[in-house]
Amino acid sequence: MSTTPQPQALTADPRTGELTDHDGALGWLRALGPRGRRAFAGAFGGYALDSYDYFTLPLSMVALAAYFGLDSGQTGLFTTVTLVVSAIGGALAGVVADRFGRVRALMITVITYAVFTVACGFAPNYETLLVFRALQGLGFGGEWAVGAILVAEYASAKHRGRTLGAIQSSWAVGWALAAIVYTLVFSFAGDDLAWRIMFWTGALPALLVVWMRRRVQDAPEAAAVREQSTQKGSFTAIFKPGLLRTTIFAGLLSTGVQGGYYTLATWVPTYLKTERGLSVVGTGAYLTFLISGAFLGYLTGGYLTDRLGRKRNIWLFALLSAACILAYANIPSGANTLLLVLGFPLGFCMSAIFSGFGSFLSELYPTAVRGTGQGFTYNTGRAVGAVFPTTVGFLADSWGVGGALVFGAIGYGIAALALLGLPETRGKELA
């Protein structure tokens, strides 16, 4: 009997007409083609560094509070201001992406968040730092939506969930990098200087912009459709009868998911240090489990959003995320080993729910206003969701940080209800 393996069936790529093999673990990556893979690399790197620059603040929160003499409400305001201003930045970036192209908008957002993250390191007082952090939010708000659309327009309908889930996983990569740098910097420098160094390292994204300017292009077919439209980049269009319902419910979905997520991302490091008494290195070890779970959650959620559908994936992980928050916040005092173990499923579930966002929101809007629709709904949700970490900050003094974290579970309930007003979009082709 012959042992020669049978050749794999090849299918024609609808964009190029070439025969390709899109099966297997990396079929989604091959399906992108050379240009799409460069776009993927640019969006992946941009979002990873976006995450890195974001987490310089939560990881430095305890040192900042001590340096400027801040209470929990004031430190919580840092996150709220960042997320509220990011709504403006994200909405504007979506318009820029529709009018001038995805890649140009992506570079603008990366430069913006890098410049103002570095500026935070030079802040002489609380008020100045608050302003710089707000301006950093302008770029932070736009990067994900623009990068997700850029890659979504290259991805095939069959693999879009996995492809955008892989983009989402870069958030965990940036988070892990920030945790490593935090551990090193705060171990070798005094707290009064260490928080400044953390912000100064936010200059790294400038190198990515140089590469993107030369190597990354918009998806040709989608770019042609966008350029021919007379309504591109129109806020009015996403509130017309045909899209109004979509805009309202997509905004609610984003509010719920991000309210829950940013509650955890902002306050878990403080919770571990102040209520669990963990050292810098100890906190880093616990965050390793949380971040590892997040990375695998993004990849798994991306796979499931293609298999189960966009809505079922979000419903599943909204329920599991809420359950994890309740369990994590009610671990008995002294049970730090259990805290460590539960960090993995917590990170997994609260990240897997995001994996379907890039494909789902891209598929809900037509090409001409895809950037505007996705940028507006995602970042409006981020701004309204910012109320959650601030509320935790004010409740922390009376409830304790651990008790106040339970408030984040409400966000996931809002997300589950919002799905009732949105259609399933799995398998939809994008022009």
Side-chain angles (χ1 to χ4, degrees):
M1 180 182 294
S2 172
T3 58
T4 303
Q6 294 296 316
Q8 290 183 308
L10 299 180
T11 57
D13 188 322
R15 290 175 172 78
T16 65
E18 297 177 357
L19 293 178
T20 56
D21 171 22
H22 294 167
D23 293 325
L26 295 178
W28 61 269
L29 188 60
R30 290 191 292 270
L32 287 171
R35 286 184 179 181
R37 286 192 287 271
R38 289 196 295 269
F40 176 89
F44 188 97
Y47 197 47
L49 293 170
D50 194 16
S51 170
Y52 178 88
D53 280 13
Y54 173 79
F55 279 106
T56 54
L57 176 65
L59 289 170
S60 303
M61 195 85 87
V62 173
L64 282 170
Y67 186 85
F68 290 117
L70 309 177
D71 59 29
S72 296
Q74 289 174 306
T75 53
L77 190 59
F78 277 126
T79 298
T80 299
V81 167
T82 302
L83 299 182
V84 169
V85 176
S86 76
I88 300 172
L92 292 176
V95 172
V96 172
D98 283 338
R99 294 188 179 182
F100 303 105
R102 313 323 192 192
V103 175
R104 287 182 183 178
L106 186 61
M107 290 191 294
I108 290 170
T109 62
V110 172
I111 290 171
T112 301
Y113 74 66
V115 167
F116 287 108
T117 297
V118 173
C120 286
F122 293 98
N125 52 51
Y126 170 72
E127 292 76 16
T128 304
L129 180 57
L130 197 63
V131 171
F132 284 153
R133 187 64 178 179
L135 293 173
Q136 187 261 5
L138 289 174
F140 167 70
E143 198 287 333
W144 178 84
V146 176
I149 293 167
L150 172 66
V151 177
E153 291 176 340
Y154 274 107
S156 66
K158 178 181 178 181
H159 298 298
R160 191 172 296 119
R162 269 164 284 191
T163 305
L164 273 296
I167 292 289
Q168 289 280 173
S169 74
S170 66
W171 181 265
V173 173
W175 189 3
L177 179 61
I180 292 169
V181 173
Y182 159 79
T183 301
L184 293 173
V185 170
F186 276 81
S187 294
F188 292 102
D191 284 7
D192 289 353
L193 176 61
W195 70 264
R196 293 187 184 275
I197 295 174
M198 282 293 294
F199 284 120
W200 292 336
T201 60
L204 290 172
L207 299 175
L208 177 67
V209 172
V210 175
W211 179 81
M212 283 195 298
R213 188 170 182 270
R214 297 181 178 182
R215 301 287 293 167
V216 182
Q217 300 174 329
D218 288 3
E221 186 176 324
V225 172
R226 174 177 53 79
E227 289 169 2
Q228 293 170 6
S229 175
T230 58
Q231 286 192 321
K232 58 186 177 183
S234 169
F235 281 120
T236 304
I238 66 173
F239 286 100
K240 287 184 177 179
L243 290 174
L244 177 60
R245 178 187 176 92
T246 295
T247 299
I248 291 173
F249 282 98
L252 284 173
L253 173 65
S254 182
T255 296
V257 172
Q258 296 193 82
Y261 179 85
Y262 283 109
T263 295
L264 295 168
T266 301
W267 287 106
V268 164
T270 299
Y271 170 63
L272 294 178
K273 290 193 72 172
T274 60
E275 296 196 11
R276 293 293 175 170
L278 299 179
S279 65
V280 169
V281 175
T283 302
Y286 277 68
L287 286 175
T288 297
F289 275 76
L290 190 65
I291 295 168
S292 298
F295 180 75
L296 293 176
Y298 286 128
L299 297 179
T300 303
Y303 173 78
L304 290 178
T305 200
D306 281 334
R307 292 293 299 237
L308 301 177
R310 303 347 182 188
K311 294 174 65 172
R312 287 182 180 177
N313 182 70
I314 295 173
W315 260 319
L316 172 64
F317 287 107
L319 175 63
L320 293 177
S321 295
C324 283
I325 291 178
L326 295 175
Y328 197 77
N330 288 283
I331 295 173
S333 178
N336 284 353
T337 300
L338 183 58
L339 189 75
L340 175 66
V341 172
L342 283 180
F344 186 90
L346 176 68
F348 184 93
C349 293
M350 74 182 197
S351 299
I353 194 172
F354 271 107
S355 293
F357 262 56
S359 51
F360 193 29
L361 294 182
S362 293
E363 292 160 354
L364 287 172
Y365 289 94
T367 303
V369 292
R370 186 167 293 133
T372 305
Q374 184 157 335
F376 178 84
T377 55
Y378 187 81
N379 288 287
T380 297
R382 181 181 271 166
V384 180
V387 172
F388 288 71
T390 301
T391 302
V392 170
F394 284 107
L395 291 176
D397 291 334
S398 55
W399 291 15
V401 177
L405 282 175
V406 175
F407 191 75
I410 297 174
Y412 292 112
I414 294 172
L417 291 175
L419 288 169
L420 298 175
L422 295 170
E424 176 58 58
T425 60
R426 180 176 54 166
K428 182 177 180 179
E429 293 287 352
L430 301 183

